[in-house]
Amino acid sequence: MKSDIINLFPSSVHLIDIENYDVVKDESLSFIYQEQENNPSSIFNTNVGGWQSDSYYHQWDNIIKKIVDKGLSQHSELYLKYKKITYSALWFNINKKGNYNHSHQHPRCDLSGVLWIKTPPNCGRLIFESPYSYLSNNHLDSLNEEYKYDTQNYTAFNFNPVEGRMLIFPSYLRHHVEPNESDDERISVSFNLDIVNR
């Protein structure tokens, strides 16, 4: 008997490694630390502890926006047919030991992303939660591990942070960041994007 699998309605997460990231890493860190020094009060949205900047860094040219722009260019060339994407927010996150981000989504935008700037070992994985985990819990529990791996059928999926790597994902995907267990800081950039279909 012939059998086949067709996976319907996937949520795509795109991984982009920034070319020659090591060349711009130190400048990126200096810029973010300078912004933290200039604006020491944290914005508290999803972060438990740590420092989160305001979200307006997409509004002018700076080293971080240039790096993200480079990654977005790679993303657009490979996957997208629409003419334009625009930023609605871009901000920085510094998580010290024990800091984390609780479960959340990014409303009022189409795509969201993260760029990892500094990622010491054990600094906290990014965990995406399936939008269907509650409805399909019994079904997913019944699957063997090989099938789950082959079809990416999980209640949640984690990504280890890698310096210079950018993820772009649908903003509806609920996600959280595990506590930083390192003695060093975990630094990332987050951003939201709108699709312009004209």
Side-chain angles (χ1 to χ4, degrees):
M1 181 174 78
K2 182 181 177 183
S3 99
D4 203 353
I5 301 166
I6 299 172
N7 290 316
L8 301 176
F9 316 123
S11 295
S12 300
V13 177
H14 299 274
L15 281 71
I16 299 161
D17 289 325
I18 303 298
E19 293 178 10
N20 302 314
Y21 172 72
D22 55 327
V23 174
V24 294
K25 178 183 174 181
D26 288 344
E27 186 179 354
S28 302
L29 285 169
S30 295
F31 181 80
I32 292 172
Y33 281 132
Q34 185 62 56
E35 291 304 305
Q36 183 188 31
E37 186 177 327
N38 293 341
N39 305 281
S41 296
S42 177
I43 304 295
F44 286 99
N45 288 317
T46 67
N47 50 317
V48 179
W51 176 80
Q52 191 173 94
S53 75
D54 213 325
S55 59
Y56 48 60
Y57 287 91
H58 60 292
Q59 295 178 353
W60 74 91
D61 285 336
N62 57 69
I63 181 63
I64 300 299
K65 184 174 180 294
K66 286 177 182 176
I67 297 170
V68 175
D69 283 346
K70 184 176 180 180
L72 290 177
S73 176
Q74 291 175 247
H75 174 258
S76 300
E77 288 171 7
L78 291 174
Y79 305 107
L80 307 181
K81 69 176 185 180
Y82 50 77
K83 294 181 180 177
K84 188 178 180 184
I85 53 176
T86 60
Y87 291 93
S88 57
L90 190 151
W91 67 96
F92 312 142
N93 311 285
I94 300 178
N95 282 0
K96 294 186 176 182
K97 187 169 187 175
N99 301 158
Y100 63 96
N101 293 76
H102 61 69
S103 180
H104 64 284
Q105 296 160 301
H106 292 219
R108 297 179 299 279
C109 57
D110 298 309
L111 298 170
S112 295
V114 60
L115 167 65
W116 287 300
I117 300 293
K118 181 180 178 183
T119 60
N122 303 314
C123 66
R125 299 176 301 174
L126 172 62
I127 313 291
F128 286 102
E129 304 160 29
S130 167
Y132 314 115
S133 60
Y134 180 83
L135 296 171
S136 62
N137 193 273
N138 283 342
H139 171 244
L140 293 177
D141 280 349
S142 72
L143 303 176
N144 66 45
E145 290 304 315
E146 182 180 4
Y147 181 85
K148 285 182 183 179
Y149 180 81
D150 288 343
T151 61
Q152 303 297 307
N153 267 291
Y154 297 103
T155 56
F157 194 89
N158 66 72
F159 287 90
N160 288 311
V162 176
E163 291 181 2
R165 175 166 291 170
M166 193 162 91
L167 300 187
I168 300 175
F169 54 90
S171 299
Y172 63 76
L173 275 184
R174 184 167 286 277
H175 54 286
H176 64 276
V177 178
E178 294 176 324
N180 180 3
E181 297 179 358
S182 167
D183 291 326
D184 203 351
E185 293 172 327
R186 174 190 191 275
I187 300 179
S188 64
V189 174
S190 299
F191 52 92
N192 292 331
L193 303 166
D194 294 321
I195 297 171
V196 181
N197 285 312
R198 51 185 166 82

